[in-house]
Amino acid sequence: MAAAGVLVRRGGFGRLWGAAAVSRFGDALRGTALPLLAYALTDSPLLISLVTACGFLPWLFFGLLGGAVADRVDQRRAMWAVDVLRGVLMAGFALAVALDRVGIGLLLALAFALTTLQTLFDNAATALLPAVVPKEALAAANARLMTGQELAGRFVGGPLAPVLIGLGAALPFLADAATYFVAAALVASLRTRPPDRPPATSGRTVRREIGEGIRQLWRDRVLRAFCVSVALGNVGIGALIATLVLVVKGWLGAGDFGYAVVTTGYGIGMVVGGLLADRTIAVAGGKGRTLLVAGVLQAVTLVGFGTLRTVWLAAVLLGLFGFAGMVWNVVETTVVQQRSPAGMLGRISSAFRTVSVAGTPLGALCGGAAATAYGPNAPALLAAALLALGAAALIPVLQTADGASSDSGQIPRTAR
């Protein structure tokens, strides 16, 4: 395809892709090792769960702030500076682990600090991509980035983490620190022109700029519908993720091997979805229709997952669920990038991420309550219903979802 050819010719995207893949590899190492280390340090379920919670909470506290900062600064410099800082933090933590100087409090502080920095990094990365690849190649670029991250994290970093842990408790964290420095070098080597932004006016504050981003998101009918859809869908996905082990072991009656088969099917589906996202958009006839089809497919697969009690069929269904989810992520990110006015992409994307993170813990609570009241398959059916509602929220904007600019007319869009 033409878009793919453009990406191959642009070395800047190759370096950005490499930085994303190596970072996700390091994240997978840390994501496996950190809970195991927490389990070794304390037998308190509350403290262990707080380690995971500290990996989400900064998005609720600082997500919108990170988007506003990303719109104010040079995104490339912000990204490599954040990665250098995260690399230093991880190297220091690895040293503490090697010297056996780690307590649960340090784990909580590390998880919170890394995610706080990530709120700036992720928003800057979303805003930087349109400056690296042409607008017509954004869908292909997002698909390649997400697919590379899924491969590096799930199929390389995940399996390698236990090996490194066996060789030394500090090794996964030391390797993670190295990936941050490599990613920083790759991003720093990018050559992009300064982003186009509206002229600064007097009296502008970060709080006011955050408000502008939220209002702009709400004014755009398409982005508003997407936001509602994401909010509903992520409550459902949160319910499923939090109780997946209950569905697989309690409802399907599978053991550890069956659980691994089901989750591997999901990962394969994610990778295939990334590889075929651009083609899927073309076959569906546009981004809006693609999102609708993806949302419906996710709902249907979860109905099957929550009613049919065969492990291998469940793996296939979750594979389809992962395929649709990856296509959804690619399309949603691309539409936000294309429709956000110049200089506001960081703030608008941060609002999406904040909504997404807020829905996940709420969904986890709902999933646990549903499983307790109605049985281990109830969270999957609850998630199916919420995803169907999320897909329905897109119907009024299907005709305008493929437009490349905001329909509010409040702030003009300029080329980047």
Side-chain angles (χ1 to χ4, degrees), residues 266-292:
Y266 172 76
I268 292 173
M270 290 278 285
V271 171
V272 175
L275 294 174
L276 299 181
D278 218 23
R279 188 174 301 175
T280 302
I281 295 170
V283 171
K287 299 184 184 70
R289 292 186 180 89
T290 301
L291 280 184
L292 180 62

Side-chain angles (χ1 to χ4, degrees), residues 38-404:
Y39 183 79
L41 291 172
T42 179
D43 57 0
S44 168
L46 176 59
L47 289 176
I48 292 174
S49 64
L50 278 177
V51 174
T52 300
C54 283
F56 285 98
L57 287 176
W59 275 105
L60 301 180
F61 296 145
F62 306 117
L64 294 174
L65 176 62
V69 174
D71 281 340
R72 281 188 166 206
V73 301
D74 183 319
Q75 289 107 6
R76 180 185 63 85
R77 291 181 179 177
M79 288 171 64
W80 69 253
V82 165
D83 264 352
V84 168
L85 182 54
R86 291 194 290 186
V88 170
L89 288 175
M90 283 308 306
F93 183 76
L95 179 61
V97 173
L99 297 176
D100 198 19
R101 300 289 186 181
V102 176
I104 194 67
L106 182 58
L107 263 70
L108 296 174
L110 177 76
F112 193 89
L114 290 176
T115 304
T116 299
L117 291 169
Q118 187 179 352
T119 62
L120 173 56
F121 182 93
D122 285 359
N123 287 317
T126 300
L128 178 67
L129 186 61
V132 176
V133 301
K135 183 173 65 175
E136 64 273 13
L138 278 174
N142 282 312
R144 290 194 180 191
L145 282 172
M146 295 179 189
T147 303
Q149 290 175 316
E150 184 69 16
L151 285 168
R154 188 179 297 274
F155 296 105
V156 182
L160 184 60
V163 177
L164 293 181
I165 293 170
L167 295 175
L171 281 180
F173 305 110
L174 186 61
D176 189 26
T179 63
Y180 279 129
F181 292 127
V182 172
L186 288 170
V187 173
S189 69
L190 291 173
R191 294 293 177 262
T192 58
R193 62 188 178 88
D196 295 329
R197 295 188 177 96
T201 59
S202 60
R204 293 180 67 82
T205 63
V206 170
R207 181 178 178 179
R208 180 177 177 182
E209 290 179 357
I210 290 173
E212 288 174 353
I214 294 173
R215 286 192 295 273
Q216 183 65 22
L217 171 63
W218 190 252
R219 288 189 189 111
D220 189 301
R221 290 180 62 245
V222 173
L223 296 182
R224 183 172 68 239
F226 279 18
C227 198
V228 171
S229 181
V230 167
L232 289 168
N234 276 288
V235 173
I237 290 173
L240 179 67
I241 291 174
T243 59
L244 183 61
V245 66
L246 298 177
V247 179
V248 174
K249 292 193 171 186
W251 172 250
L252 298 178
D256 291 343
F257 177 74
Y259 184 78
V261 168
V262 170
T263 54
T264 299
Y266 172 76
I268 292 173
M270 290 278 285
V271 171
V272 175
L275 294 174
L276 299 181
D278 218 23
R279 188 174 301 175
T280 302
I281 295 170
V283 171
K287 299 184 184 70
R289 292 186 180 89
T290 301
L291 280 184
L292 180 62
V293 171
V296 171
L297 179 59
Q298 285 190 303
V300 170
T301 56
L302 288 187
V303 170
F305 186 63
T307 55
L308 304 174
R309 309 182 78 165
T310 304
V311 172
W312 294 102
L313 180 57
V316 172
L317 289 170
L318 269 200
L320 291 172
F321 180 80
F323 173 89
M326 177 63 86
V327 171
W328 177 287
N329 290 340
V330 169
V331 174
E332 176 200 295
T333 302
T334 302
V335 171
V336 171
Q337 288 168 333
Q338 290 177 336
R339 294 187 67 88
S340 296
M344 299 189 72
L345 178 52
R347 283 167 282 172
I348 291 174
S349 67
S350 72
F352 266 86
R353 286 189 173 93
T354 301
V355 169
S356 175
V357 172
T360 302
L362 174 61
L365 294 175
C366 293
T372 301
Y374 302 107
N377 65 325
L381 299 178
L382 172 64
L386 289 167
L387 285 162
L389 287 175
L394 298 172
I395 294 175
V397 299
L398 286 183
Q399 299 302 317
T400 53
D402 291 305

